[in-house]
Amino acid sequence: MNDYDSRREAPLDLASVFLGPKGENADVFEKLLLEAFRDHVFWRRNFHPEDGFHVTEGEKHSPDYQQAISTLSQELMGLLGELKAGVPFFSPRYIGHMTSDLTMASLIGYFATMLYNPNNVAAEASPVTTRMELEVAAQLARMIGYDPDAQWGHLTSGGTVANYEALWVARNVKYLPVAVRWAAEEMGISGLAVALPDGTQAPLDQLDLWQMLNVMPPAALDLAARFRERVGDAYRAVHALASHSLEGLGFQEFGRRLGTIYGDALPPGVVLVPSTAHYSWEKICRTLGIGGAQLVHVPVDRRFRMDPDALEATVRRMAERRQPIIACVSVIGTTEESAVDRLDLIAETRERLARELGMGFYLHADAAWGGYAAAITRGPDGARRTYTQAMRDYAPEVWPEEGVYRGLVAMERADSVTIDPHKLGFVPYPAGAISFRDRRSRDLVAVEAPYIFHRGASEWGYIGRFIMEGSKPGAAAAAVWMSHKVLPLDSRGYGRMIGATARGALVLHRRLSAGDWSPFRVVPLPVPDLNLVCFAVGHPSLGTLEETNAFVDRIYRAMSVSDARAARTLEYFVTKTELRQPEYGESAVPLVEALGFTRDDYLRVGAVAVIRCTVMDQHLASGRGKVDYVSGFSLALKRVFAEELAGTGTRE
Amino acid sequence: MNDYDSRREAPLDLASVFLGPKGENADVFEKLLLEAFRDHVFWRRNFHPEDGFHVTEGEKHSPDYQQAISTLSQELMGLLGELKAGVPFFSPRYIGHMTSDLTMASLIGYFATMLYNPNNVAAEASPVTTRMELEVAAQLARMIGYDPDAQWGHLTSGGTVANYEALWVARNVKYLPVAVRWAAEEMGISGLAVALPDGTQAPLDQLDLWQMLNVMPPAALDLAARFRERVGDAYRAVHALASHSLEGLGFQEFGRRLGTIYGDALPPGVVLVPSTAHYSWEKICRTLGIGGAQLVHVPVDRRFRMDPDALEATVRRMAERRQPIIACVSVIGTTEESAVDRLDLIAETRERLARELGMGFYLHADAAWGGYAAAITRGPDGARRTYTQAMRDYAPEVWPEEGVYRGLVAMERADSVTIDPHKLGFVPYPAGAISFRDRRSRDLVAVEAPYIFHRGASEWGYIGRFIMEGSKPGAAAAAVWMSHKVLPLDSRGYGRMIGATARGALVLHRRLSAGDWSPFRVVPLPVPDLNLVCFAVGHPSLGTLEETNAFVDRIYRAMSVSDARAARTLEYFVTKTELRQPEYGESAVPLVEALGFTRDDYLRVGAVAVIRCTVMDQHLASGRGKVDYVSGFSLALKRVFAEELAGTGTRE
């Protein structure tokens, strides 16, 4: 299963990976597309040829058939026309949202597989692509650094669902020791030992509620395994747990029992996230019944990374309040700044405080954006590269910073990691992925489907039992699988590709920082960890932060697609975000001050707006083609600044 | 927006819809595929042509480029080889899982759009396909019978997520009146009136807890709207609600407050489903924190439809216990039998008991499988057809039964409906859909994303705010949109197509019922409502139900793909299910008795196994081609029966 061994050593030509901004590789693409299609057609034709044809050539001359095909052709032409009102994500000129060109391997692989229509809910409906899904999940797990024999992972429709699933597991594992205790009592099983966060072992039935809610995730899973062993019959054990667990009883009944038995209602569990966390975490906490208010934002530092000291202070505050922490979420590549948390320091803080305070909680890495960047830490043989080795590839850029490297490597210390192939994996939607370090996690969310059966002992027979979703495209698995074939998850494949985008971002950041923008003031955020560049824009005539924010909004509107602005009329495409005070706290103050405003202004207005540039295209600063895009973008910015200040830009 | 008006009157040739079992329409498909691809390439080429080419023709001769393309080609050939270990879903011989051939319109539409890579999380990343998504959702809503101006709907990755979203809304709307009361008290707003289930109005602040938890969904939404009006400032109102709602506080804190204020912990809310409901409902209840144990199975009748009398008894039992009902889920097309609940009688029961008992709850229709069948109730102009009109189309078959027709029409009375385009819409995964009757439902699940901005008042600017998922393929929306263009949602389009599959199922059912199988005994379930046929098989030498179940399992294994049995070696493909006693209760007893066993046998064994045939192919009984598939299947069955009884079948 170690794909790394079979990798060729030759450097990869990145120019061959995409269809290209001008469709440069259209000839190859078209040839392979036709090959895939015809290959499929002849597979159909060779399956029970004795059945004959269901539409004869003669019937195709009937007026009804002709009319139906005319309708199809006409509607397709209509669709193709409509699509051209879309956005040119394929162009280096597009540095807006997290969308770009896709690898040819994934596009053709997706299409080829879609013709077969496999459904990865169960291997019986997807014998080939379910295997591919588990293969790519194992590849991602190996890149992270999980033990391939112990991990469990699969694809999802996207990072949001992957994050749902991680927190669903975290919630269930948090309350698992209580469920085991009740189930053991019911079945007359005593003497179950459990490891405490300080490393000691204790009998489960002598723990108080607080201790039970602070068992570390692996210890909780060990405890459940020990319970199952003692019960002997797996089926009975599962049912006993289900009738005492949070997921079985629901929060209301589980909470009532806690109150009755321990004389106290369950203290609301909280989820810690950096203040830069994706907005979907609030949605996830609401949906899972944890509550949006139980999402605790941990302040970030001036590089927009979760501050380990702030994390420590938060954990200590929770310990004082005896408020359980369900999970701490670290972000590897924020959606606004591409900031990579110092996950190494976060993991260390968790472990140290577990020992000191006896407080255990789940650690999840939301690497939906930045996960693929961990490819830079792997050599062609799959071994970890040192920081020096990794950095050498990108000289003369000094990238990655050592802290970023350490954050990426530390994903192996998280209990689970979300990685989106449909982001920096450059494959089509829908392709998110979730990796769990401990495959037993999935037992916490497993249900039975009556109409799907295991084939003997084949454990991958029906992965739908272990996931949040149901039906899902086998084509997505094939697309990721193909893309990993041409771009391995190491320094020569995805590592180089993502390095090229980081280089583009660094060049852009330098240009923005060093350029002469007078009379305007361009204030970039600090050097990005990966490949997002944000900057604010001021002008002496804009006397307030409100006016400045409104000006940034006008720049954004002048450089993005809308009903009033078709893509073909635009030169460059950006997006915009706001650093809002409730989440960003002090970390945005330096930016506000550099614009000439005060901390008080920021508090009053509540947010500072910035232009946001996502660099996913390898060509932004590659020097290929005839245009220097970074210079072109700078010129375009200057023109837009002037027009929007004067009010002479095209109005919407 | 009424697409029905523009529909052509000519009958549609169903033969033109799919690529075909033998790739009969490969010529048209290939032509359109190339057209779509080249059209896209030239769009790229015409976008800022001055940029030049990023890969020159000369560079393509470099060894690195050549090697990279060789790798791509080789890996694609590898993929194409692997895929042939897949399952021939395209063939009428495949009557196993719910997977089949897909419309050419959707496949080409998907591919054409995938090249543009739109992400329907926000219109800015998908200006074209977000509009298409909302268009197809509106088309589905019109087919259901929802007011187009009041409805809200969108696509999801599948029926499971659509059902999650429905129950998420149901859970939030159940506890909404309590949240409004607390928010109103905090803001000093008094005198809010709310409609009670018996039709009277009452002041919110004089209701007891039980009354607040039994407001009907539209009345709860009206109440929240009135609260927002009184607050005046929409932002303040939303925040006030969030700090008092279940989704804001979470179950633990919300329950604690209820206990403190009303002197009683919240009684666990329950979810009612027919005993035939999809297994994912348990998963959904677990995830949402409601608890698997709070899923109450309502018995079904002998046609496997939820028994309205049993529903009434269940509701009365809950009323006596003062246990709130969060939602009642009705199934339109069960995954095992394609049974269509008498939703008309269920809706009537709900309304009658609301008046009598003062007990209100949410009603959801899980029509993931059967939703598209509602097309038979619509004429070309979009108007409802009478039952007689609908039935006339399928003569000489007597299909649908009047109860099925009434169940389909009654979807308009549910608060929400799940429909899967990737099932009987014949489009690629991932394409589920959720429709809400009242668009205000979405406010209960809305969150804000900082980096996405509304364009002025455009309400569809960012649908990601209102859905469970995040990123999702715009290509899926285009695929559904294209498919609805060639197959309208009326009696001539999807109605005819699904009628053709129902006809195949009826012919198959008759053959199974009337055939001479001696010495075997073939016992089909009752005539299916839509297009699934299940049957048990017995033999005098199989003296116990256990042995009979094991025999059915062997038949299934002999007629399905596995590691040991490649698709090319099989003649026909089926799947299998078990009617398990905990869910099916008495409804499976007639089947057991017809096999020659007793009710006690069933209770002892706990389940009866049946072969399950899903008829999605229009050709099963169409008489096109050279083979009579129903006869061929019967012959194959006889052979397999004999081989498996004698133990001479191929062993795995």
Side-chain angles (χ1 to χ4, degrees), chain A residues 168-169 172 441-447 465-466, chain B residues 283 286:
Chain A
W168 184 28
V169 163
N172 292 354
S441 304
R442 66 184 194 178
D443 296 330
L444 301 179
V445 296
V447 289
R465 288 176 59 211
F466 302 117
Chain B
K283 183 158 76 174
R286 288 181 179 190

Side-chain angles (χ1 to χ4, degrees), chain A residues 79 83 102 107 110 114 428-430, chain B residues 105-120 125-126 128-130 132-133 155 427-431 472-482:
Chain A
L79 173 67
L83 286 171
L102 305 174
L107 283 167
Y110 199 107
M114 189 164 58
Y429 306 105
Chain B
S106 64
L107 283 168
I108 301 169
Y110 200 107
F111 174 72
T113 309
M114 190 164 57
L115 295 168
Y116 289 79
N117 197 21
N119 179 354
N120 273 23
S126 54
V128 180
T129 49
T130 290
M132 289 177 176
E133 176 172 348
L155 298 181
V427 307
Y429 306 104
K472 53 185 190 162
V480 180
W481 189 83
M482 277 295 292

Side-chain angles (χ1 to χ4, degrees), chain B residues 221-245:
Chain B
L221 293 169
D222 287 344
L223 174 66
R226 236 169 274 138
F227 169 75
R228 280 194 208 96
E229 262 167 44
R230 289 282 298 278
V231 175
D233 178 338
Y235 184 84
R236 277 183 67 217
V238 165
H239 278 256
L241 278 181
S243 58
H244 292 288
S245 65

Side-chain angles (χ1 to χ4, degrees), chain A residues 28 74 76 85 104 150 175 213 221 263 270 291 403 408 422 584 631:
Chain A
V28 171
Q74 194 62 53
L76 180 65
M104 290 198 287
Y175 300 104
L213 297 182
L221 293 169
V270 295
L408 293 170
H422 67 206
Y584 279 81
S631 296

Side-chain angles (χ1 to χ4, degrees), chain A residues 24-25 30 38 51 54 60 65 82 84 93 124 131 248 252 266 268 279 293 455 462 556 560, chain B residues 24-25 30 38-39 51 54 60 65 82 93 124 131 248 252 266 268 279 293 455 462 556 560:
Chain A
E24 289 89 338
N25 290 317
E30 185 171 309
R38 291 175 180 164
D51 292 354
H54 294 74
K60 291 187 186 174
Y65 180 90
E82 298 257 14
K84 286 168 194 146
R93 293 170 175 271
E124 200 182 308
R131 182 170 50 67
Q252 295 178 348
L266 191 66
Y279 76 96
R455 285 274 177 191
Y462 178 39
Y556 150 70
S560 57
Chain B
E24 289 90 337
N25 290 318
E30 184 171 309
R38 290 175 182 165
D39 187 86
D51 292 354
H54 295 73
K60 291 185 185 175
Y65 180 91
E82 298 256 15
R93 293 169 175 272
E124 201 182 308
R131 182 170 51 66
Q252 295 178 345
L266 191 65
Y279 75 97
R455 285 274 178 190
Y462 177 40
Y556 150 70
S560 57

